Amino acid sequence: MPFKNFTAPLSLILILTGIALYLSYLVAAPFLGPLLTAVVLAIAFFPLHVRMERRVHGRGNAAFASLLVIVLAVLVPVALIAFVATIQLHGLVDAIGRRTAEGGGLDAYATAQVDRLIAWAGHYVDVSRLDLQDQMLGRLQNWSGALMGTAGGLLSDLTTFLANGLLVLILMFFVFRDGRAIRDYLARTLPLRASQLERLSDGVGNTIQASMFGILAVALAQAALLGIGFWILGIQGSVFWAAATIFASLIPIVGAATIWLPAAVWLLATGSWIKALILVAWGVGGIGMIDNILRPYVMSGRVELHPLLLAFAILGGVQAFGMIGLFAGPVILAVTRTLFELLGEELTALRLRTGQQQE
């Protein structure tokens, strides 16, 4: 029996430890998302923090300085882009309002645009047997309702988002300040050799930093593709919207579509429906697909994982954890691979020791 040498006090301690760990999980569960986000971001920006430590005296001061630089580098551009985007959106709403008012209202205007599209398609295919008008108008109404519902949901979640963001910043400060102490504590506590713990930590750090490079590469590529598309289609402010796409590409699932989809709606509302169709095709087939191709390729150069496995890890991580899944998915895969390697090495060493003892 593997437990025959367990004493009563040790057994009781193990039982109580298991209960305490479960209760600790219940307490920490609401904060696991912000905690994971803080740890991932702190590791991703740790090279910046190392440089900051050389210039700022004191662990707390260096941690605060690193956090301040990160916040300013992200919040200032986002605030500027949000301000200009708000002005642009007001112009879009006014333009759509004028167009629909000239056409007798939104429904009449949409019907007229659909009729124009059906008339154009009728030159190439027989549409007499298809009730395209009702189908397309129904789809437009469904899409508009879905967009309104999504907007309402985003507004209702704004308070939660801000609170979680503040918590992430606080946790990042402590990870920056006490990260090395936490690692040393784990090295003393975990029953792992120093080389094994170093392999695990290096795997996590390399994967997170590779994910950061992948995110930046995709953001720049999508920004360039969107800027080219806007310039070809004659949409004003192509350089600005390309810059906005760098930040929009970080949004899970929708990403750069938050930029080009409203532009397609604006083109449709102003009667340029051919340009709108071209932009949608470019957004889905070009801007959207580059993410699935470029990110795994860039990351595979820094992480010893197959690009296909990385692609599944990224997609699965986003589904499970949201935006932070861009980091968490590949990290989980890399740690799992390293653990299997360590397990194989330990089993091989155990077999060798057992064989030597039998001899």
Side-chain angles (χ1 to χ4, degrees), residues 226-276:
L226 184 135
I228 293 171
F230 275 29
W231 177 72
I232 292 174
L233 295 175
I235 300 175
Q236 295 182 353
S238 58
V239 175
F240 165 77
W241 291 117
T245 303
I246 296 177
F247 295 92
S249 65
L250 303 178
I251 303 174
I253 309 300
V254 291
T258 57
I259 304 297
W260 62 258
L261 187 58
V265 173
W266 177 80
L267 289 173
L268 182 63
T270 54
S272 302
W273 53 270
I274 294 180
K275 289 185 177 181

Side-chain angles (χ1 to χ4, degrees), residues 70-281:
I70 295 170
V71 170
L72 292 178
V74 174
L75 289 186
V76 172
V78 168
L80 178 61
I81 290 174
F83 175 73
V84 179
T86 301
I87 298 175
Q88 297 283 348
L89 287 175
H90 278 298
L92 171 62
V93 172
D94 291 340
I96 294 176
R98 288 194 300 270
R99 286 279 182 173
T100 55
E102 294 170 0
L106 180 59
D107 291 340
Y109 181 79
T111 301
Q113 296 300 322
V114 170
D115 286 340
R116 288 181 57 191
L117 181 59
I118 293 174
W120 174 81
H123 294 295
Y124 304 96
V125 295
D126 183 14
V127 297
S128 58
R129 297 182 180 181
L130 301 176
D131 191 8
L132 292 179
Q133 187 181 79
D134 290 342
Q135 293 182 14
M136 296 184 70
L137 288 176
R139 289 292 179 87
L140 287 173
Q141 292 175 354
N142 291 336
W143 289 343
S144 63
L147 288 174
M148 292 298 293
T150 301
L154 290 175
L155 290 175
S156 64
D157 293 339
L158 181 59
T159 302
T160 302
F161 175 79
L162 293 176
N164 288 337
L166 180 60
L167 181 58
V168 167
L169 294 178
I170 294 173
L171 292 172
M172 281 183 64
F173 170 82
F174 287 105
V175 174
F176 277 144
R177 195 191 69 175
D178 302 323
R180 292 187 179 87
I182 295 172
R183 178 175 175 175
D184 293 341
Y185 173 78
L186 292 176
R188 295 192 305 269
T189 305
L190 294 177
L192 293 174
R193 291 189 292 273
S195 60
Q196 294 175 327
L197 183 61
E198 184 176 358
R199 285 173 61 181
L200 280 173
S201 60
D202 288 346
V204 171
N206 291 336
T207 304
I208 289 177
Q209 292 173 11
S211 298
M212 179 65 72
F213 279 104
I215 288 173
L216 292 176
V218 169
L220 293 175
Q222 288 187 331
L225 291 175
L226 184 135
I228 293 171
F230 275 29
W231 177 72
I232 292 174
L233 295 175
I235 300 175
Q236 295 182 353
S238 58
V239 175
F240 165 77
W241 291 117
T245 303
I246 296 177
F247 295 92
S249 65
L250 303 178
I251 303 174
I253 309 300
V254 291
T258 57
I259 304 297
W260 62 258
L261 187 58
V265 173
W266 177 80
L267 289 173
L268 182 63
T270 54
S272 302
W273 53 270
I274 294 180
K275 289 185 177 181
L277 292 177
I278 293 174
L279 182 56
V280 170

Side-chain angles (χ1 to χ4, degrees), residues 196-211 299-300 302-306 309-314 325-343:
Q196 294 175 327
L197 183 61
E198 184 176 358
R199 285 173 61 181
L200 280 173
S201 60
D202 288 346
V204 171
N206 291 336
T207 304
I208 289 177
Q209 292 173 11
S211 298
M299 291 182 60
S300 63
R302 300 177 60 89
V303 181
E304 297 179 0
L305 291 172
H306 193 277
L309 290 177
L310 277 173
F312 280 115
I314 292 168
L326 294 173
F327 298 93
V331 166
I332 292 172
L333 184 61
V335 168
T336 302
R337 186 202 64 178
T338 304
L339 288 174
F340 269 104
E341 292 176 353
L342 295 176
L343 180 61

Side-chain angles (χ1 to χ4, degrees), residues 314-332:
I314 292 168
L315 294 174
V318 171
Q319 290 290 330
F321 303 104
M323 179 178 174
I324 201 62
L326 294 173
F327 298 93
V331 166
I332 292 172

